[in-house]
């Protein structure tokens, strides 16, 4: 989490509320205020997540991980389709 916060990539950590992306200075207090926090390509910031991705690459040609922290009873983004295969855990 803290490694993602130090990333120079502006899309590394995103905050959403009611399906709309918010521009916040820090996402640390977003979740308690009913916002979703997304860490894109979290395998770049966590050795443990990277290890899981590397293990999955034995079965899949390309693997990366996005982490969604979403409050109960809410939804990060509206229903949509992706141009890639998705494994939700």
């Amino acid at each position: 989490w803290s490694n993602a916060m130090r990333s120079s990539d502006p899309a590394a950590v995103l905050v959403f509320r009611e399906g709309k992306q918010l521009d916040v200075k820090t996402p640390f207090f977003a979740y308690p205020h009913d916002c979703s926090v997304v860490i894109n390509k979290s395998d770049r910031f966590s050795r443990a997540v990277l290890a899981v991705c590397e293990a999955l690459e034995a079965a899949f040609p390309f693997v990366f991980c996005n982490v969604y922290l979403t409050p109960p009873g809410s939804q990060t983004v509206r229903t949509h389709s992706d141009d890639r295969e998705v494994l939700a855990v």
Side-chain angles (χ1 to χ4, degrees):
W1 171 259
S2 61
N3 288 339
M5 292 297 303
R6 289 191 292 265
S7 172
S8 61
D9 180 358
V13 180
L14 303 175
V15 175
F16 293 85
R17 181 185 286 148
E18 298 176 5
K20 297 178 183 173
Q21 186 176 344
L22 304 177
D23 184 19
V24 297
K25 291 182 181 182
T26 177
F28 282 111
F29 300 105
Y31 184 81
H33 289 93
D34 296 324
C35 294
S36 295
V37 179
V38 178
I39 303 174
N40 286 311
K41 297 189 177 169
S42 61
D43 48 294
R44 294 180 179 177
F45 310 113
S46 166
R47 288 187 181 129
V49 174
L50 177 61
V52 171
C53 290
E54 288 173 341
L56 287 170
E57 284 180 340
F60 301 99
F62 179 73
V63 178
F64 66 91
C65 179
N66 295 335
V67 173
Y68 291 76
L69 179 62
T70 302
S74 65
Q75 184 174 336
T76 303
V77 295
R78 292 185 172 87
T79 303
H80 65 284
S81 62
D82 287 317
D83 61 352
R84 60 195 67 87
E85 300 296 327
V86 176
L87 172 65
V89 179

